[in-house]
Amino acid sequence: MQLDFVTLVIAAILINLVSATVIFWSWFNRPSVGERKWAIGLLVESLGFALILTQPVLTPVVSVILPNVLLVIGFTFRYLSVCEFFERKPSHFWRLAPTAVTLVCFILLLDSLHWRIVTAYAVELTQSLAMIWIIMSGAIPGAVQSLKLMRVYGGLIVVIFLFRLVNELANPTAGDLIIASDETYGFAVLVLLSVSLLSSFAVLLVLREKLDAENQKLATLDPLTNISNRRALINLVERELLRSYRTNRWPCLLMLDIDHFKQINDNHGHLVGDQVLVELAALITEQLRDLDVVGRYGGEEFCILLAETDEEGGLISAERLREAIGKMVVTQGDVSVSITASIGLAFSHSGDTLDQLLARADTALYQAKAEGRNAVVVAGA
């Protein structure tokens, strides 16, 4: 059964328009990088496909040169979209060269259908290779399944354009058969349409996965300090305690509170206070190992879990952290402040619950404050 060329082109236009509409709708509801350029590329390609159907009516410039240039520009927008997804800086060469080459070659080869088609396929194949290089060698932050779909799309699009180029080179009369609805070519176009639809699904899945990752981040991270919030912190500490029961290697817990933090806010304003919290969180994170846990427990209070740490190691780490905080100078505009911190230290023992460990560390913290602040106090058993 032959596949009608005109029908396939109309199908391509409709698929692109529907996909672009859905992607634009998603982007308007939640703007994100990459999606808009992909949708623009689909719209430009649709216009190119529409102009192809005008060949019996309009001049070759409008019905031959312009539509092929638009198809290349549409693919260029897809390349730019992929660069945004993968956080790559797009090359100026790939922005301009494919369009320029297509325009010049189609003007020079206007009377040669065969070489025009070879040029079009060669440019599209080259663009596809540039795109798949980025897809295969990079990663999209927050996206996993969509990355797999993107790689499938990239591989298939290269194979399709390579097949079409080789077929045209091997059969110089294939160009005449295109307009005559050649069945082999029609099947290739049908596959290309399916792959194009797959790519749009991949783009939408990228958006979905990135939104899920952002929501997960909002649910687990403190928005000011970018470390774990209280809920996520408790979950992480409970997980470490459960692991300790299995390994019999126990952690210790530090409760840290900034001394006289209210005075900083009262004397210098909340912007300075916020900057103190941000820089303190960064300092604590730098002092810890990958397996340790830190979170903002509330206000100016931080909770730190040192995994697999005995009493001597925990006390050394706590004192080192206290001394590092005492050397901090936080600058916000024309204001510079120094801070100190009080730390309560509790060691975990077999059978301890999280509440018991937190209570002992909290008691030690209040004792450190009562004894003059800027101190480390170890909780009793």
Side-chain angles (χ1 to χ4, degrees):
M1 180 182 71
Q2 287 192 332
L3 296 169
D4 179 72
F5 175 75
V6 174
T7 302
L8 289 172
V9 172
I10 293 174
I13 294 172
L14 293 176
I15 288 174
N16 280 1
L17 289 177
V18 171
S19 299
T21 301
V22 174
I23 293 172
F24 265 127
W25 179 262
S26 300
W27 181 83
F28 280 127
N29 283 283
R30 187 65 180 268
S32 181
V33 298
E35 288 85 6
R36 183 175 58 169
K37 284 187 173 61
W38 193 279
I40 292 173
L42 293 175
L43 294 179
V44 173
E45 286 179 2
S46 296
L47 180 58
F49 285 134
L51 290 177
I52 288 175
L53 298 179
T54 67
Q55 284 187 29
V57 179
L58 301 181
T59 64
V61 173
V62 177
S63 62
V64 176
I65 297 176
L66 182 57
N68 282 279
V69 169
L70 288 174
L71 292 177
V72 171
I73 292 174
F75 209 99
T76 300
F77 271 102
R78 293 197 186 202
Y79 163 78
L80 296 175
S81 175
V82 168
C83 288
E84 288 191 1
F85 283 137
F86 288 85
E87 300 180 350
R88 298 285 188 87
K89 184 178 180 180
S91 164
H92 290 297
F93 176 84
W94 293 113
R95 286 175 182 264
L96 304 173
T99 301
V101 169
T102 302
L103 179 60
V104 172
C105 289
F106 267 66
I107 292 174
L108 296 176
L109 302 171
L110 188 58
D111 296 328
S112 175
L113 177 61
H114 167 66
W115 287 111
R116 288 204 318 265
I117 293 172
V118 169
T119 299
Y121 292 166
V123 170
E124 290 169 335
L125 176 60
T126 305
Q127 286 182 298
S128 301
L129 290 171
M131 182 186 294
I132 197 173
W133 171 259
I134 296 174
I135 294 174
M136 292 298 183
S137 63
I140 304 175
V144 179
Q145 299 304 322
S146 55
L147 177 59
K148 296 177 182 178
L149 273 183
M150 278 283 190
R151 288 175 174 171
V152 171
Y153 160 73
L156 288 175
I157 206 73
V158 168
V159 171
I160 290 170
F161 283 132
L162 180 61
F163 163 77
R164 295 169 72 179
L165 176 60
V166 171
N167 183 58
E168 181 63 29
L169 288 172
N171 181 15
T173 64
D176 297 329
L177 294 175
I178 292 175
I179 306 302
S181 301
D182 172 67
E183 191 169 283
T184 302
Y185 177 82
F187 178 75
V189 173
L190 189 61
V191 173
L192 182 60
L193 295 182
S194 301
V195 173
S196 180
L197 188 59
L198 173 67
S199 70
S200 296
F201 281 132
V203 170
L204 291 171
L205 185 57
V206 168
L207 178 60
R208 173 62 183 273
E209 288 193 306
K210 288 170 69 176
L211 288 177
D212 288 344
E214 289 177 11
N215 290 334
Q216 179 67 19
K217 181 178 179 179
L218 291 174
T220 58
L221 293 185
D222 174 63
L224 177 63
T225 60
N226 207 36
I227 59 176
S228 295
N229 59 24
R230 182 167 179 160
R231 177 188 298 178
L233 172 70
I234 290 174
N235 290 335
L236 291 171
V237 173
E238 285 181 335
R239 188 181 306 169
E240 179 60 28
L241 286 176
L242 288 174
R243 191 181 70 85
S244 299
Y245 292 140
R246 296 192 299 269
T247 63
N248 202 35
R249 302 176 69 177
W250 304 99
C252 66
L253 188 74
L254 285 70
M255 294 294 290
L256 182 152
D257 191 85
I258 302 173
D259 296 329
H260 305 297
F261 184 72
K262 185 177 183 300
Q263 293 181 12
I264 296 175
N265 283 330
D266 291 343
N267 296 334
H268 304 291
H270 289 279
L271 287 179
V272 175
D274 287 348
Q275 188 64 27
V276 168
L277 293 172
V278 170
E279 295 193 22
L280 176 57
L283 174 66
I284 295 172
T285 303
E286 290 174 0
Q287 296 280 326
L288 302 183
R289 303 163 297 175
D290 290 340
L291 66 163
D292 298 329
V293 176
V294 60
R296 187 178 176 189
Y297 195 69
E300 67 274 20
E301 195 170 27
F302 294 81
C303 181
I304 305 160
L305 184 87
L306 302 178
E308 301 180 4
T309 303
D310 58 20
E311 296 186 8
E312 181 181 359
L315 185 57
I316 291 174
S317 297
E319 285 290 353
R320 183 172 62 243
L321 178 59
R322 183 191 62 80
E323 291 175 2
I325 293 171
K327 297 176 183 178
M328 282 182 62
V329 177
V330 178
T331 301
Q332 174 70 26
D334 297 331
V335 178
S336 295
V337 297
S338 299
I339 63 170
T340 61
S342 301
I343 300 174
L345 179 59
F347 297 97
S348 176
H349 306 290
S350 177
D352 276 347
T353 65
L354 173 61
D355 289 341
Q356 290 172 332
L357 192 60
L358 286 170
R360 293 209 311 273
D362 201 45
T363 299
L365 172 62
Y366 278 99
Q367 184 179 344
K369 287 184 171 293
E371 293 179 358
R373 305 177 191 271
N374 190 25
V376 175
V377 170
V378 180

